[in-house]
Amino acid sequence: MLSVLKRVSTGLLTLALLMPVAAFAQESKVVPQSRQEMQLSFSPLVKQTAGAVVNVYAERVVQRLNPFAGDPFFEQFFGQRMPNRSEKQSSLGSGVILSQDGLVVTNNHVIEGADDIKIALADGREFPCDIVLKDERVDLAVLRIKAREHFPVLPVGDSDRTEVGDLVLAIGNPFGVGQTVTSGIVSALARNQITSGDFGFFIQTDASINPGNSGGALMNMNGELIGINTAIFSRGGGSNGIGFAIPSNLVKVFLAAAAEGKTTFERPYVGATFDAVTSDVAEALGLKTARGALVVRVVEGGPADRAGLKPGEVVTAVNGIAVEHPDALGYRLTTAGLGKQAALTVQTADGERQVTIALDTAPETTPRDERMLEGRNPFAGLHVANLSPKLATELRIPAEKAGVVVTDVARGSPAARYGFEPRDIVISLNGTSVTTTKALEAMLDDDPGFWRVEIERDGQRIRQFFR
């Protein structure tokens, strides 16, 4: 990807390996004091940990359509001698073994759409594997190696203890050349707006990361995983010293969901929408800096409403940890864990206060009642469902939205030709509000021959007329 993306591990000094683990506490971090210290090697740490970093090979079958299919001239002369072709496409990434029975964490974009996935260990052995859990929004996937043996494991560290300036190692398979180790430092924390997904909390490093490093390890000097290398900022496809990793504390939560047998990765439902804090808002509330998550809207009866959050207030910390932006708030609540409570520090015009919010999954307050619409009308081919906070969260629609939403559009159907898209919310039909899928289906049975439709797409109202 040219302007932002691609996805990678850690090391330790020879002298440091001779020291007890307690000596690696944050308060003992020191800058090299002599030439001898600068000449120390990472090799003992690499030998200790590199076996847990693997290559991930994903293969998918792609159908190549015959460009002349359906052309009467060519079909008359060539008949069916030019059928559609299928071909295999391969992608290469990296992964990290996090359990002795063979659970591997990698990026979702490495294995997305794959029909066959293989894991190659550092010693050259290859194994098939199954997908246990994947999630496009956080760009993580857990694979299970199909073999009965004990695998080397990389311990998972606490990414919240990582500081800007810490030494790190990145291990992966850039450009398919083989396992490669690079070193650098942590350049920044809590970076957001890096990828097109809705996850925005990355560790930034200057350790060289290139295509193929995706899913590999970013390690600290204790030999612990502190991040899964995910993206790079690049204009030419190569490393420019700006790489991004998903913090290990989110990896822990994701891995736990996979180990529990979850089929989807659910994050806490807040029941509110947030925006970035501007300098004007910060000044009005007496904040020293424009940081935090501004409460824009609160869903009545939701967790935020029950906790007492109100529009215009700013969440500045979760469980005592500062919140830099709305994405950081989502990250902190997710890593706090479902089924628990979180203490929010809230800044208001009257001062600072503390509130407690319950971290539960989004409720399905209205049954989905999914239906496939048919008949002689513009909606034929639409898959629709009743919106609820749970479905809205799955579709990345604001949780306060209600009504009927398009979940899928049949290819080649009248609805597809008229331009309907997944996530469209049907507001009204011929001037009558659409509240449920059952009501919409009943309206279509009337067949007036003239259709006046209003939908909402990405927050904008669109009105169309069909005959």
Side-chain angles (χ1 to χ4, degrees):
M1 312 210 177
L2 296 182
S3 58
V4 187
L5 293 180
K6 307 258 185 298
R7 339 294 198 188
V8 220
S9 131
T10 195
L12 182 54
L13 304 181
T14 304
L15 179 62
L17 284 175
L18 304 177
M19 302 171 64
V21 174
F24 293 108
Q26 286 189 348
E27 55 271 15
S28 67
K29 296 175 182 176
V30 295
V31 175
Q33 301 294 314
S34 65
R35 175 178 295 182
Q36 287 75 20
E37 290 184 7
M38 291 296 295
Q39 292 175 337
L40 296 176
S41 173
F42 292 115
S43 62
L45 182 61
V46 174
K47 292 176 183 177
Q48 172 188 328
T49 58
V53 181
V54 301
N55 298 337
V56 179
Y57 298 95
E59 199 171 71
R60 55 186 61 84
V61 177
V62 178
Q63 295 292 331
R64 293 296 185 189
L65 299 180
N66 176 6
F68 302 112
D71 188 306
F73 175 80
F74 280 89
E75 288 187 353
Q76 178 182 357
F77 286 94
F78 298 101
Q80 299 301 316
R81 285 181 290 172
M82 298 178 65
N84 296 331
R85 296 180 299 107
S86 62
E87 63 180 43
K88 290 184 178 180
Q89 289 185 348
S90 299
S91 64
L92 171 67
S94 305
V96 185
I97 304 176
L98 297 184
S99 72
Q100 288 188 335
D101 60 349
L103 283 182
V104 177
V105 171
T106 185
N107 286 129
N108 177 75
H109 74 265
V110 171
I111 56 90
E112 183 64 25
D115 300 300
D116 184 43
I117 304 171
K118 290 183 179 179
I119 295 292
L121 304 187
D123 59 14
R125 291 180 297 161
E126 291 189 4
F127 298 94
C129 60
D130 294 323
I131 299 174
V132 179
L133 179 64
K134 64 177 184 176
D135 190 282
E136 178 186 2
R137 297 172 299 170
V138 297
D139 199 14
L140 287 174
V142 174
L143 313 175
R144 183 180 293 280
I145 301 175
K146 297 167 71 172
R148 292 176 177 264
E149 60 177 275
H150 291 291
F151 294 96
V153 173
L154 189 63
V156 182
D158 181 1
S159 53
D160 282 344
R161 294 175 62 84
T162 301
E163 296 179 323
V164 174
D166 284 354
L167 281 171
V168 289
L169 295 183
I171 304 181
N173 187 3
F175 300 111
V177 300
Q179 191 174 81
T180 301
V181 182
T182 56
S183 67
I185 64 169
V186 173
S187 306
L189 301 170
R191 291 298 198 202
N192 67 333
Q193 298 180 351
I194 302 302
T195 67
S196 57
D198 62 351
F199 173 76
F201 195 94
F202 293 88
I203 298 171
Q204 181 181 329
T205 177
D206 69 347
S208 294
I209 298 172
N210 287 287
N213 278 120
S214 295
L218 186 71
M219 301 188 331
N220 63 18
M221 294 296 101
N222 292 343
E224 298 171 330
L225 180 78
I226 60 167
I228 295 293
N229 293 303
T230 300
I232 61 174
F233 183 85
S234 175
R235 299 189 186 281
S239 174
N240 287 337
I242 303 178
F244 303 95
I246 297 173
S248 60
N249 284 358
L250 180 61
V251 176
K252 288 180 187 177
V253 177
F254 194 83
L255 184 66
E260 292 171 7
K262 300 286 182 64
T263 56
T264 59
F265 180 62
E266 295 188 272
R267 289 177 286 179
Y269 169 63
V270 179
T273 54
F274 300 88
D275 206 348
V277 176
T278 64
S279 56
D280 291 338
V281 171
E283 183 179 355
L285 295 177
L287 296 173
K288 295 181 180 179
T289 58
R291 292 187 175 184
L294 174 66
V295 182
V296 177
R297 189 180 297 106
V298 176
V299 178
E300 185 177 354
D305 185 36
R306 295 195 298 270
L309 283 180
K310 295 178 174 55
E313 298 179 334
V314 174
V315 178
T316 58
V318 176
N319 293 332
I321 303 176
V323 167
E324 297 83 357
H325 42 70
D327 288 340
L329 173 62
Y331 169 80
R332 293 297 174 192
L333 295 178
T334 300
T335 54
L338 287 171
K340 299 181 180 179
Q341 293 185 329
L344 306 183
T345 302
V346 181
Q347 184 73 34
T348 71
D350 298 324
E352 188 176 273
R353 65 190 180 97
Q354 300 288 324
V355 301
T356 301
I357 188 169
L359 303 180
D360 296 319
T361 58
E364 193 158 298
T365 52
T366 304
R368 299 191 184 198
D369 191 20
E370 296 185 59
R371 298 176 183 236
M372 168 73 169
L373 302 180
E374 300 175 334
R376 296 173 58 85
N377 58 73
F379 292 85
L382 286 185
H383 295 259
V384 294
N386 293 325
L387 266 175
S388 65
K390 186 176 183 65
L391 181 56
T393 300
E394 293 175 9
L395 298 176
R396 299 186 225 179
I397 295 174
E400 70 273 8
K401 298 296 182 181
V404 175
V405 65
V406 176
T407 58
D408 196 13
V409 183
R411 189 173 180 179
S413 65
R417 292 195 298 271
Y418 282 119
F420 285 97
E421 298 179 3
R423 301 173 67 237
D424 285 347
I425 301 174
V426 183
I427 304 298
S428 66
L429 177 60
N430 293 333
T432 303
S433 297
V434 176
T435 55
T436 65
T437 56
K438 182 178 180 180
L440 175 58
E441 196 170 46
M443 293 179 191
L444 298 179
D445 290 338
D446 293 339
D447 191 11
F450 178 83
W451 309 92
R452 188 170 73 255
V453 181
E454 183 179 8
I455 64 172
E456 181 176 324
R457 178 178 297 168
D458 296 329
Q460 294 189 349
R461 296 287 183 101
I462 301 175
R463 295 177 178 84
Q464 291 184 322
F465 299 86
F466 307 111
R467 289 189 180 277

